[in-house]
Amino acid sequence: MTSADTTVTVDIQDDIAVITIDRPEVRNAINASVLGQISQALDELADNDDAQIVIFTGAGDKAFVAGADINELAVRKPKDGLRAAMQGVYEKVEQFHKPTIAAVNGYAFGGGHELALACDIRIASTNAQFALPETSLGIMPAAGGTQRLARLVGVGRATEMILTSRRVKAQEALTMGLVTDVVEPQELMPKAKETAQTILSKGPLATQLAKTVVRHGFDADHSTGILLERLAQSVLYSSAEKVEGTNAFLEKRNPDYRAAQRKDDEA
């Protein structure tokens, strides 16, 4: 992504890909171009072994993503609602097989809040604020917000936030379980990368399958969720990764999961 109209950047270091939405002049509002670039970035990262975890953030210190671009929103028609471009991209984020972290550095409103909800883990700076203000515009959250927020914080809290468009500050977001950590702004990216490095120290296949089982098992009945758990564990029991992890523990050394991955790839 090097064209003049690039508004999404991807930086890969130490097995971590940081996707930054870079439109600070509009508080990183998302338009069709940004959605396309996020989708393209995920496609490119899917098979990139140099990127094992993805962190989403916004440029500057004012906003993560302040919502959808209102200029585009104002001219949308019923067919655009059915096409649901933003919802489709966020489904791709949620279903992405590698772990994802939202580093929320300021306003996360509307589509920005929904992007954070689509990630596996949300970490906020103390100046972060969350809101779904769509009803103030005569519409409703429709990029997964009505579903993911209710599952995360409960139906009552989600309904209140959506119907009132109320802003939730970082500390309240932590209390209600919307985010897992709140840190000072200068510590946000280091904390996100620290969390990523902790995940990277675990078995990569184990973390990917655990993510899949949590995501898909949550919406299934208990018996189906338990079956998914059992089948995923069976796959892991047959992996070189399990052999390496258990042997490393018994031998009191750090596991070499990259070597184990190569064995599994060659099997």
Side-chain angles (χ1 to χ4, degrees), residues 115-164:
L115 173 58
L117 289 171
C119 293
D120 298 314
I121 297 170
R122 286 154 295 283
I123 301 172
S125 68
T126 52
N127 67 339
Q129 293 187 42
F130 299 84
L132 291 172
E134 284 86 350
T135 54
S136 299
L137 301 172
I139 56 175
M140 59 175 276
T146 61
Q147 304 305 300
R148 294 189 182 101
L149 184 61
R151 285 165 171 75
L152 195 61
V153 304
V155 172
R157 287 183 182 274
T159 302
E160 184 264 342
M161 284 183 66
I162 292 168
L163 297 189
T164 66

mmCIF file of all heavy atoms in Angstrom, residues 115-164:
data_model
loop_
_atom_site.group_PDB
_atom_site.id
_atom_site.type_symbol
_atom_site.label_atom_id
_atom_site.label_comp_id
_atom_site.label_asym_id
_atom_site.label_seq_id
_atom_site.Cartn_x
_atom_site.Cartn_y
_atom_site.Cartn_z
ATOM 1 N N LEU A 115 -15.346 -1.691 14.970
ATOM 2 C CA LEU A 115 -14.076 -2.311 14.592
ATOM 3 C C LEU A 115 -13.392 -2.888 15.826
ATOM 4 O O LEU A 115 -12.888 -4.017 15.804
ATOM 5 C CB LEU A 115 -13.167 -1.288 13.914
ATOM 6 C CG LEU A 115 -11.734 -1.744 13.609
ATOM 7 C CD1 LEU A 115 -11.731 -2.984 12.714
ATOM 8 C CD2 LEU A 115 -10.932 -0.615 12.970
ATOM 9 N N ALA A 116 -13.364 -2.131 16.913
ATOM 10 C CA ALA A 116 -12.764 -2.624 18.152
ATOM 11 C C ALA A 116 -13.496 -3.872 18.646
ATOM 12 O O ALA A 116 -12.871 -4.824 19.115
ATOM 13 C CB ALA A 116 -12.781 -1.530 19.216
ATOM 14 N N LEU A 117 -14.814 -3.874 18.547
ATOM 15 C CA LEU A 117 -15.597 -5.026 18.990
ATOM 16 C C LEU A 117 -15.276 -6.279 18.188
ATOM 17 O O LEU A 117 -15.373 -7.397 18.700
ATOM 18 C CB LEU A 117 -17.098 -4.722 18.881
ATOM 19 C CG LEU A 117 -17.679 -3.720 19.871
ATOM 20 C CD1 LEU A 117 -19.110 -3.372 19.491
ATOM 21 C CD2 LEU A 117 -17.619 -4.255 21.298
ATOM 22 N N ALA A 118 -14.906 -6.096 16.923
ATOM 23 C CA ALA A 118 -14.602 -7.240 16.062
ATOM 24 C C ALA A 118 -13.254 -7.868 16.391
ATOM 25 O O ALA A 118 -12.978 -8.997 15.978
ATOM 26 C CB ALA A 118 -14.644 -6.822 14.591
ATOM 27 N N CYS A 119 -12.410 -7.147 17.126
ATOM 28 C CA CYS A 119 -11.094 -7.672 17.501
ATOM 29 C C CYS A 119 -11.216 -8.613 18.695
ATOM 30 O O CYS A 119 -12.188 -8.558 19.454
ATOM 31 C CB CYS A 119 -10.139 -6.519 17.829
ATOM 32 S SG CYS A 119 -9.707 -5.484 16.401
ATOM 33 N N ASP A 120 -10.224 -9.443 18.877
ATOM 34 C CA ASP A 120 -10.239 -10.411 19.975
ATOM 35 C C ASP A 120 -10.021 -9.752 21.329
ATOM 36 O O ASP A 120 -10.631 -10.144 22.331
ATOM 37 C CB ASP A 120 -9.149 -11.465 19.761
ATOM 38 C CG ASP A 120 -9.362 -12.274 18.500
ATOM 39 O OD1 ASP A 120 -10.504 -12.708 18.273
ATOM 40 O OD2 ASP A 120 -8.394 -12.460 17.749
ATOM 41 N N ILE A 121 -9.136 -8.749 21.363
ATOM 42 C CA ILE A 121 -8.765 -8.092 22.614
ATOM 43 C C ILE A 121 -8.804 -6.585 22.387
ATOM 44 O O ILE A 121 -8.394 -6.107 21.327
ATOM 45 C CB ILE A 121 -7.352 -8.514 23.068
ATOM 46 C CG1 ILE A 121 -7.325 -10.027 23.371
ATOM 47 C CG2 ILE A 121 -6.889 -7.721 24.292
ATOM 48 C CD1 ILE A 121 -5.927 -10.579 23.601
ATOM 49 N N ARG A 122 -9.291 -5.839 23.398
ATOM 50 C CA ARG A 122 -9.338 -4.382 23.314
ATOM 51 C C ARG A 122 -8.575 -3.789 24.482
ATOM 52 O O ARG A 122 -8.863 -4.113 25.644
ATOM 53 C CB ARG A 122 -10.800 -3.886 23.349
ATOM 54 C CG ARG A 122 -11.568 -4.133 22.070
ATOM 55 C CD ARG A 122 -13.062 -4.247 22.306
ATOM 56 N NE ARG A 122 -13.367 -5.434 23.114
ATOM 57 C CZ ARG A 122 -13.380 -6.676 22.623
ATOM 58 N NH1 ARG A 122 -13.145 -6.878 21.345
ATOM 59 N NH2 ARG A 122 -13.640 -7.709 23.412
ATOM 60 N N ILE A 123 -7.599 -2.932 24.175
ATOM 61 C CA ILE A 123 -6.832 -2.217 25.188
ATOM 62 C C ILE A 123 -7.025 -0.729 24.939
ATOM 63 O O ILE A 123 -6.916 -0.276 23.792
ATOM 64 C CB ILE A 123 -5.340 -2.588 25.122
ATOM 65 C CG1 ILE A 123 -5.163 -4.101 25.336
ATOM 66 C CG2 ILE A 123 -4.529 -1.805 26.153
ATOM 67 C CD1 ILE A 123 -3.761 -4.599 25.091
ATOM 68 N N ALA A 124 -7.322 0.032 25.974
ATOM 69 C CA ALA A 124 -7.658 1.446 25.795
ATOM 70 C C ALA A 124 -6.674 2.346 26.517
ATOM 71 O O ALA A 124 -6.139 1.987 27.575
ATOM 72 C CB ALA A 124 -9.075 1.722 26.317
ATOM 73 N N SER A 125 -6.456 3.520 25.959
ATOM 74 C CA SER A 125 -5.741 4.564 26.685
ATOM 75 C C SER A 125 -6.733 5.292 27.582
ATOM 76 O O SER A 125 -7.956 5.181 27.396
ATOM 77 C CB SER A 125 -5.080 5.547 25.717
ATOM 78 O OG SER A 125 -6.051 6.300 25.024
ATOM 79 N N THR A 126 -6.223 6.032 28.541
ATOM 80 C CA THR A 126 -7.103 6.716 29.489
ATOM 81 C C THR A 126 -7.980 7.766 28.817
ATOM 82 O O THR A 126 -9.013 8.154 29.379
ATOM 83 C CB THR A 126 -6.271 7.401 30.585
ATOM 84 O OG1 THR A 126 -5.262 8.220 29.973
ATOM 85 C CG2 THR A 126 -5.606 6.364 31.488
ATOM 86 N N ASN A 127 -7.607 8.216 27.628
ATOM 87 C CA ASN A 127 -8.425 9.215 26.931
ATOM 88 C C ASN A 127 -9.404 8.585 25.942
ATOM 89 O O ASN A 127 -10.060 9.292 25.181
ATOM 90 C CB ASN A 127 -7.538 10.236 26.210
ATOM 91 C CG ASN A 127 -6.754 9.638 25.054
ATOM 92 O OD1 ASN A 127 -6.560 8.421 25.002
ATOM 93 N ND2 ASN A 127 -6.303 10.464 24.137
ATOM 94 N N ALA A 128 -9.518 7.280 25.956
ATOM 95 C CA ALA A 128 -10.440 6.606 25.040
ATOM 96 C C ALA A 128 -11.886 6.832 25.464
ATOM 97 O O ALA A 128 -12.197 6.920 26.658
ATOM 98 C CB ALA A 128 -10.146 5.115 24.991
ATOM 99 N N GLN A 129 -12.754 6.925 24.473
ATOM 100 C CA GLN A 129 -14.198 6.982 24.705
ATOM 101 C C GLN A 129 -14.881 6.109 23.665
ATOM 102 O O GLN A 129 -14.467 6.073 22.501
ATOM 103 C CB GLN A 129 -14.724 8.410 24.604
ATOM 104 C CG GLN A 129 -14.233 9.347 25.690
ATOM 105 C CD GLN A 129 -14.909 10.697 25.632
ATOM 106 O OE1 GLN A 129 -16.124 10.795 25.422
ATOM 107 N NE2 GLN A 129 -14.135 11.755 25.820
ATOM 108 N N PHE A 130 -15.926 5.430 24.098
ATOM 109 C CA PHE A 130 -16.657 4.514 23.226
ATOM 110 C C PHE A 130 -18.111 4.973 23.117
ATOM 111 O O PHE A 130 -18.721 5.367 24.114
ATOM 112 C CB PHE A 130 -16.626 3.092 23.789
ATOM 113 C CG PHE A 130 -15.242 2.525 23.922
ATOM 114 C CD1 PHE A 130 -14.463 2.809 25.038
ATOM 115 C CD2 PHE A 130 -14.714 1.709 22.930
ATOM 116 C CE1 PHE A 130 -13.183 2.288 25.171
ATOM 117 C CE2 PHE A 130 -13.430 1.191 23.053
ATOM 118 C CZ PHE A 130 -12.670 1.483 24.165
ATOM 119 N N ALA A 131 -18.662 4.895 21.919
ATOM 120 C CA ALA A 131 -20.071 5.236 21.744
ATOM 121 C C ALA A 131 -20.581 4.643 20.439
ATOM 122 O O ALA A 131 -19.812 4.425 19.486
ATOM 123 C CB ALA A 131 -20.273 6.753 21.738
ATOM 124 N N LEU A 132 -21.882 4.391 20.416
ATOM 125 C CA LEU A 132 -22.581 4.009 19.189
ATOM 126 C C LEU A 132 -23.666 5.065 18.971
ATOM 127 O O LEU A 132 -24.806 4.912 19.415
ATOM 128 C CB LEU A 132 -23.182 2.608 19.329
ATOM 129 C CG LEU A 132 -22.166 1.463 19.388
ATOM 130 C CD1 LEU A 132 -22.855 0.149 19.728
ATOM 131 C CD2 LEU A 132 -21.404 1.339 18.073
ATOM 132 N N PRO A 133 -23.313 6.173 18.295
ATOM 133 C CA PRO A 133 -24.218 7.318 18.196
ATOM 134 C C PRO A 133 -25.162 7.284 16.997
ATOM 135 O O PRO A 133 -25.795 8.299 16.679
ATOM 136 C CB PRO A 133 -23.240 8.489 18.056
ATOM 137 C CG PRO A 133 -22.101 7.911 17.291
ATOM 138 C CD PRO A 133 -21.975 6.481 17.745
ATOM 139 N N GLU A 134 -25.293 6.136 16.362
ATOM 140 C CA GLU A 134 -26.042 6.081 15.102
ATOM 141 C C GLU A 134 -27.492 6.530 15.228
ATOM 142 O O GLU A 134 -28.050 7.142 14.311
ATOM 143 C CB GLU A 134 -25.985 4.659 14.525
ATOM 144 C CG GLU A 134 -24.657 4.296 13.880
ATOM 145 C CD GLU A 134 -23.632 3.768 14.869
ATOM 146 O OE1 GLU A 134 -23.874 3.863 16.098
ATOM 147 O OE2 GLU A 134 -22.591 3.256 14.420
ATOM 148 N N THR A 135 -28.154 6.237 16.373
ATOM 149 C CA THR A 135 -29.551 6.634 16.490
ATOM 150 C C THR A 135 -29.716 8.155 16.465
ATOM 151 O O THR A 135 -30.780 8.664 16.110
ATOM 152 C CB THR A 135 -30.177 6.068 17.779
ATOM 153 O OG1 THR A 135 -29.388 6.452 18.911
ATOM 154 C CG2 THR A 135 -30.262 4.547 17.713
ATOM 155 N N SER A 136 -28.663 8.881 16.806
ATOM 156 C CA SER A 136 -28.705 10.344 16.708
ATOM 157 C C SER A 136 -28.767 10.806 15.256
ATOM 158 O O SER A 136 -29.164 11.936 14.971
ATOM 159 C CB SER A 136 -27.459 10.957 17.373
ATOM 160 O OG SER A 136 -27.410 10.627 18.741
ATOM 161 N N LEU A 137 -28.373 9.921 14.335
ATOM 162 C CA LEU A 137 -28.394 10.230 12.898
ATOM 163 C C LEU A 137 -29.582 9.593 12.197
ATOM 164 O O LEU A 137 -29.671 9.612 10.975
ATOM 165 C CB LEU A 137 -27.093 9.746 12.247
ATOM 166 C CG LEU A 137 -25.796 10.343 12.799
ATOM 167 C CD1 LEU A 137 -24.594 9.623 12.210
ATOM 168 C CD2 LEU A 137 -25.730 11.837 12.501
ATOM 169 N N GLY A 138 -30.470 9.010 12.973
ATOM 170 C CA GLY A 138 -31.644 8.384 12.375
ATOM 171 C C GLY A 138 -31.383 7.015 11.790
ATOM 172 O O GLY A 138 -32.174 6.515 10.982
ATOM 173 N N ILE A 139 -30.287 6.390 12.203
ATOM 174 C CA ILE A 139 -29.986 5.032 11.756
ATOM 175 C C ILE A 139 -29.621 4.208 12.998
ATOM 176 O O ILE A 139 -29.911 4.630 14.110
ATOM 177 C CB ILE A 139 -28.843 5.006 10.716
ATOM 178 C CG1 ILE A 139 -27.584 5.693 11.280
ATOM 179 C CG2 ILE A 139 -29.292 5.670 9.413
ATOM 180 C CD1 ILE A 139 -26.372 5.601 10.373
ATOM 181 N N MET A 140 -29.012 3.065 12.806
ATOM 182 C CA MET A 140 -28.629 2.222 13.931
ATOM 183 C C MET A 140 -27.266 1.594 13.649
ATOM 184 O O MET A 140 -26.817 1.566 12.501
ATOM 185 C CB MET A 140 -29.662 1.117 14.166
ATOM 186 C CG MET A 140 -29.872 0.202 12.977
ATOM 187 S SD MET A 140 -30.995 -1.168 13.338
ATOM 188 C CE MET A 140 -29.818 -2.311 14.074
ATOM 189 N N PRO A 141 -26.591 1.093 14.672
ATOM 190 C CA PRO A 141 -25.333 0.381 14.430
ATOM 191 C C PRO A 141 -25.612 -0.848 13.566
ATOM 192 O O PRO A 141 -26.494 -1.633 13.886
ATOM 193 C CB PRO A 141 -24.860 -0.026 15.818
ATOM 194 C CG PRO A 141 -25.610 0.845 16.766
ATOM 195 C CD PRO A 141 -26.920 1.139 16.109
ATOM 196 N N ALA A 142 -24.850 -1.011 12.492
ATOM 197 C CA ALA A 142 -25.126 -2.132 11.586
ATOM 198 C C ALA A 142 -23.852 -2.741 11.024
ATOM 199 O O ALA A 142 -23.859 -3.314 9.943
ATOM 200 C CB ALA A 142 -26.046 -1.679 10.448
ATOM 201 N N ALA A 143 -22.749 -2.591 11.769
ATOM 202 C CA ALA A 143 -21.511 -3.269 11.392
ATOM 203 C C ALA A 143 -21.142 -4.249 12.500
ATOM 204 O O ALA A 143 -19.990 -4.419 12.851
ATOM 205 C CB ALA A 143 -20.388 -2.269 11.141
ATOM 206 N N GLY A 144 -22.167 -4.864 13.072
ATOM 207 C CA GLY A 144 -21.979 -5.841 14.132
ATOM 208 C C GLY A 144 -22.182 -5.301 15.528
ATOM 209 O O GLY A 144 -22.160 -6.061 16.497
ATOM 210 N N GLY A 145 -22.402 -3.998 15.663
ATOM 211 C CA GLY A 145 -22.491 -3.386 16.976
ATOM 212 C C GLY A 145 -23.624 -3.898 17.843
ATOM 213 O O GLY A 145 -23.440 -4.112 19.049
ATOM 214 N N THR A 146 -24.788 -4.103 17.259
ATOM 215 C CA THR A 146 -25.924 -4.561 18.062
ATOM 216 C C THR A 146 -25.698 -5.966 18.603
ATOM 217 O O THR A 146 -26.194 -6.319 19.673
ATOM 218 C CB THR A 146 -27.234 -4.558 17.247
ATOM 219 O OG1 THR A 146 -27.098 -5.464 16.136
ATOM 220 C CG2 THR A 146 -27.557 -3.156 16.730
ATOM 221 N N GLN A 147 -24.938 -6.765 17.867
ATOM 222 C CA GLN A 147 -24.724 -8.154 18.260
ATOM 223 C C GLN A 147 -23.503 -8.331 19.154
ATOM 224 O O GLN A 147 -23.579 -8.950 20.210
ATOM 225 C CB GLN A 147 -24.587 -9.029 17.001
ATOM 226 C CG GLN A 147 -25.762 -8.927 16.047
ATOM 227 C CD GLN A 147 -27.082 -9.239 16.730
ATOM 228 O OE1 GLN A 147 -27.253 -10.353 17.254
ATOM 229 N NE2 GLN A 147 -28.006 -8.297 16.745
ATOM 230 N N ARG A 148 -22.374 -7.776 18.739
ATOM 231 C CA ARG A 148 -21.136 -8.001 19.493
ATOM 232 C C ARG A 148 -21.152 -7.286 20.839
ATOM 233 O O ARG A 148 -20.660 -7.820 21.840
ATOM 234 C CB ARG A 148 -19.927 -7.572 18.667
ATOM 235 C CG ARG A 148 -19.698 -8.424 17.425
ATOM 236 C CD ARG A 148 -18.386 -8.140 16.736
ATOM 237 N NE ARG A 148 -18.271 -8.960 15.540
ATOM 238 C CZ ARG A 148 -18.490 -8.534 14.297
ATOM 239 N NH1 ARG A 148 -18.811 -7.261 14.088
ATOM 240 N NH2 ARG A 148 -18.391 -9.352 13.265
ATOM 241 N N LEU A 149 -21.682 -6.068 20.881
ATOM 242 C CA LEU A 149 -21.697 -5.342 22.146
ATOM 243 C C LEU A 149 -22.576 -6.058 23.168
ATOM 244 O O LEU A 149 -22.202 -6.186 24.342
ATOM 245 C CB LEU A 149 -22.180 -3.902 21.946
ATOM 246 C CG LEU A 149 -22.135 -3.023 23.200
ATOM 247 C CD1 LEU A 149 -20.714 -2.885 23.724
ATOM 248 C CD2 LEU A 149 -22.747 -1.647 22.922
ATOM 249 N N ALA A 150 -23.740 -6.538 22.748
ATOM 250 C CA ALA A 150 -24.636 -7.246 23.662
ATOM 251 C C ALA A 150 -23.985 -8.505 24.208
ATOM 252 O O ALA A 150 -24.123 -8.834 25.394
ATOM 253 C CB ALA A 150 -25.943 -7.584 22.953
ATOM 254 N N ARG A 151 -23.249 -9.207 23.371
ATOM 255 C CA ARG A 151 -22.582 -10.426 23.820
ATOM 256 C C ARG A 151 -21.442 -10.115 24.779
ATOM 257 O O ARG A 151 -21.118 -10.924 25.644
ATOM 258 C CB ARG A 151 -22.053 -11.206 22.617
ATOM 259 C CG ARG A 151 -23.154 -11.931 21.831
ATOM 260 C CD ARG A 151 -22.656 -12.377 20.464
ATOM 261 N NE ARG A 151 -23.608 -13.244 19.785
ATOM 262 C CZ ARG A 151 -24.723 -12.841 19.214
ATOM 263 N NH1 ARG A 151 -25.046 -11.549 19.244
ATOM 264 N NH2 ARG A 151 -25.544 -13.699 18.612
ATOM 265 N N LEU A 152 -20.858 -8.938 24.629
ATOM 266 C CA LEU A 152 -19.692 -8.590 25.427
ATOM 267 C C LEU A 152 -20.065 -8.008 26.788
ATOM 268 O O LEU A 152 -19.480 -8.370 27.811
ATOM 269 C CB LEU A 152 -18.830 -7.584 24.657
ATOM 270 C CG LEU A 152 -17.401 -7.360 25.150
ATOM 271 C CD1 LEU A 152 -16.596 -8.652 25.084
ATOM 272 C CD2 LEU A 152 -16.719 -6.289 24.307
ATOM 273 N N VAL A 153 -21.047 -7.105 26.814
ATOM 274 C CA VAL A 153 -21.365 -6.404 28.064
ATOM 275 C C VAL A 153 -22.762 -6.698 28.579
ATOM 276 O O VAL A 153 -23.142 -6.196 29.634
ATOM 277 C CB VAL A 153 -21.184 -4.875 27.895
ATOM 278 C CG1 VAL A 153 -19.782 -4.545 27.429
ATOM 279 C CG2 VAL A 153 -22.224 -4.278 26.952
ATOM 280 N N GLY A 154 -23.528 -7.499 27.852
ATOM 281 C CA GLY A 154 -24.893 -7.807 28.269
ATOM 282 C C GLY A 154 -25.918 -7.000 27.504
ATOM 283 O O GLY A 154 -25.655 -5.875 27.056
ATOM 284 N N VAL A 155 -27.101 -7.564 27.367
ATOM 285 C CA VAL A 155 -28.158 -6.934 26.563
ATOM 286 C C VAL A 155 -28.577 -5.590 27.145
ATOM 287 O O VAL A 155 -28.766 -4.611 26.426
ATOM 288 C CB VAL A 155 -29.372 -7.880 26.453
ATOM 289 C CG1 VAL A 155 -30.550 -7.164 25.781
ATOM 290 C CG2 VAL A 155 -29.001 -9.130 25.659
ATOM 291 N N GLY A 156 -28.729 -5.514 28.476
ATOM 292 C CA GLY A 156 -29.204 -4.275 29.085
ATOM 293 C C GLY A 156 -28.263 -3.110 28.853
ATOM 294 O O GLY A 156 -28.683 -2.034 28.419
ATOM 295 N N ARG A 157 -26.981 -3.297 29.123
ATOM 296 C CA ARG A 157 -26.005 -2.227 28.926
ATOM 297 C C ARG A 157 -25.897 -1.852 27.450
ATOM 298 O O ARG A 157 -25.807 -0.675 27.103
ATOM 299 C CB ARG A 157 -24.631 -2.657 29.441
ATOM 300 C CG ARG A 157 -24.512 -2.706 30.960
ATOM 301 C CD ARG A 157 -23.083 -3.074 31.346
ATOM 302 N NE ARG A 157 -22.900 -3.188 32.778
ATOM 303 C CZ ARG A 157 -22.627 -2.179 33.588
ATOM 304 N NH1 ARG A 157 -22.536 -0.967 33.104
ATOM 305 N NH2 ARG A 157 -22.467 -2.375 34.884
ATOM 306 N N ALA A 158 -25.875 -2.867 26.582
ATOM 307 C CA ALA A 158 -25.757 -2.588 25.151
ATOM 308 C C ALA A 158 -26.956 -1.801 24.647
ATOM 309 O O ALA A 158 -26.802 -0.819 23.895
ATOM 310 C CB ALA A 158 -25.615 -3.899 24.377
ATOM 311 N N THR A 159 -28.146 -2.191 25.055
ATOM 312 C CA THR A 159 -29.350 -1.490 24.609
ATOM 313 C C THR A 159 -29.331 -0.041 25.081
ATOM 314 O O THR A 159 -29.650 0.883 24.323
ATOM 315 C CB THR A 159 -30.606 -2.196 25.143
ATOM 316 O OG1 THR A 159 -30.609 -3.557 24.690
ATOM 317 C CG2 THR A 159 -31.865 -1.500 24.648
ATOM 318 N N GLU A 160 -28.933 0.179 26.333
ATOM 319 C CA GLU A 160 -28.859 1.544 26.855
ATOM 320 C C GLU A 160 -27.863 2.388 26.068
ATOM 321 O O GLU A 160 -28.144 3.532 25.704
ATOM 322 C CB GLU A 160 -28.471 1.494 28.337
ATOM 323 C CG GLU A 160 -28.442 2.846 29.039
ATOM 324 C CD GLU A 160 -27.065 3.453 29.084
ATOM 325 O OE1 GLU A 160 -26.076 2.730 28.887
ATOM 326 O OE2 GLU A 160 -26.957 4.678 29.320
ATOM 327 N N MET A 161 -26.696 1.830 25.781
ATOM 328 C CA MET A 161 -25.686 2.578 25.017
ATOM 329 C C MET A 161 -26.188 2.914 23.614
ATOM 330 O O MET A 161 -25.982 4.017 23.115
ATOM 331 C CB MET A 161 -24.384 1.770 24.922
ATOM 332 C CG MET A 161 -23.557 1.762 26.197
ATOM 333 S SD MET A 161 -21.985 0.865 25.972
ATOM 334 C CE MET A 161 -21.156 1.952 24.780
ATOM 335 N N ILE A 162 -26.847 1.958 22.975
ATOM 336 C CA ILE A 162 -27.303 2.160 21.598
ATOM 337 C C ILE A 162 -28.468 3.143 21.534
ATOM 338 O O ILE A 162 -28.505 4.045 20.687
ATOM 339 C CB ILE A 162 -27.698 0.806 20.971
ATOM 340 C CG1 ILE A 162 -26.438 -0.063 20.774
ATOM 341 C CG2 ILE A 162 -28.417 1.001 19.647
ATOM 342 C CD1 ILE A 162 -26.722 -1.504 20.450
ATOM 343 N N LEU A 163 -29.423 3.018 22.440
ATOM 344 C CA LEU A 163 -30.612 3.881 22.372
ATOM 345 C C LEU A 163 -30.329 5.310 22.810
ATOM 346 O O LEU A 163 -30.970 6.247 22.329
ATOM 347 C CB LEU A 163 -31.731 3.292 23.236
ATOM 348 C CG LEU A 163 -32.265 1.912 22.828
ATOM 349 C CD1 LEU A 163 -33.512 1.564 23.634
ATOM 350 C CD2 LEU A 163 -32.571 1.846 21.334
ATOM 351 N N THR A 164 -29.366 5.491 23.702
ATOM 352 C CA THR A 164 -29.073 6.842 24.193
ATOM 353 C C THR A 164 -27.879 7.493 23.502
ATOM 354 O O THR A 164 -27.670 8.699 23.650
ATOM 355 C CB THR A 164 -28.775 6.822 25.706
ATOM 356 O OG1 THR A 164 -27.559 6.090 25.938
ATOM 357 C CG2 THR A 164 -29.919 6.187 26.480
#
